[in-house]
Amino acid sequence: QVQLEESGGGLVQAGGSLRLSCAASGRTFNVHSMAWFRQAPGKEREFVARITRSGGITYYADSVKGRFTISRDNAENMMYLQMNSLKPEDTAVYYCATSPLQTTFRTAYDYWGQGTQVTVSS
């Protein structure tokens, strides 16, 4: 079992930045992909970015490419999402998640954090 906890959310103005953190604990040896998803009120949870545990290969949703950077520190069991040039449409609850597969599909992620709120004002 893997436990995940996000932090770092908050309220920022459009164009501002936030850095989200995800602390992992438990049995993480089977984790292949680590990812960030987000969900706005009334919307489906959507993929944001992923990174492989080994190698650090990254992949981003088109909506955040060039603005967000995903990273991880395996020694500290941490994952991060640096969010720059934030837009109001980035407003959502952000979740970190892990998967034994290399994928962006939500259904393939087996462990989730509780989420952290990101609000971007216009």
Side-chain angles (χ1 to χ4, degrees):
Q1 186 176 355
V2 178
Q3 295 82 44
L4 303 170
E5 184 173 0
E6 305 92 338
S7 62
L11 174 63
V12 297
Q13 292 184 327
S17 298
L18 282 175
R19 189 194 191 208
L20 305 183
S21 299
C22 175
S25 60
R27 303 292 190 267
T28 61
F29 63 88
N30 199 39
V31 173
H32 186 269
S33 298
M34 299 172 284
W36 290 94
F37 290 78
R38 67 187 182 187
Q39 187 168 24
K43 304 293 185 181
E44 187 175 89
R45 191 171 300 184
E46 66 177 1
F47 168 79
V48 176
R50 79 161 193 258
I51 187 168
T52 59
R53 191 186 186 195
S54 62
I57 300 170
T58 60
Y59 185 82
Y60 298 91
D62 288 340
S63 59
V64 306
K65 193 174 298 182
R67 300 188 298 120
F68 291 9
T69 302
I70 188 171
S71 62
R72 86 276 190 270
D73 185 341
N74 290 341
E76 299 295 332
N77 293 317
M78 296 290 292
M79 180 175 63
Y80 306 96
L81 185 68
Q82 179 66 47
M83 305 185 294
N84 299 326
S85 301
L86 284 162
K87 305 174 181 179
E89 52 262 44
D90 295 318
T91 295
V93 176
Y94 283 70
Y95 300 88
C96 63
T98 64
S99 174
L101 306 175
Q102 184 172 329
T103 181
T104 62
F105 295 142
R106 176 184 56 80
T107 55
Y109 284 79
D110 47 4
Y111 295 104
W112 297 81
Q114 82 290 342
T116 185
Q117 177 70 48
V118 172
T119 303
V120 184
S121 61
S122 59

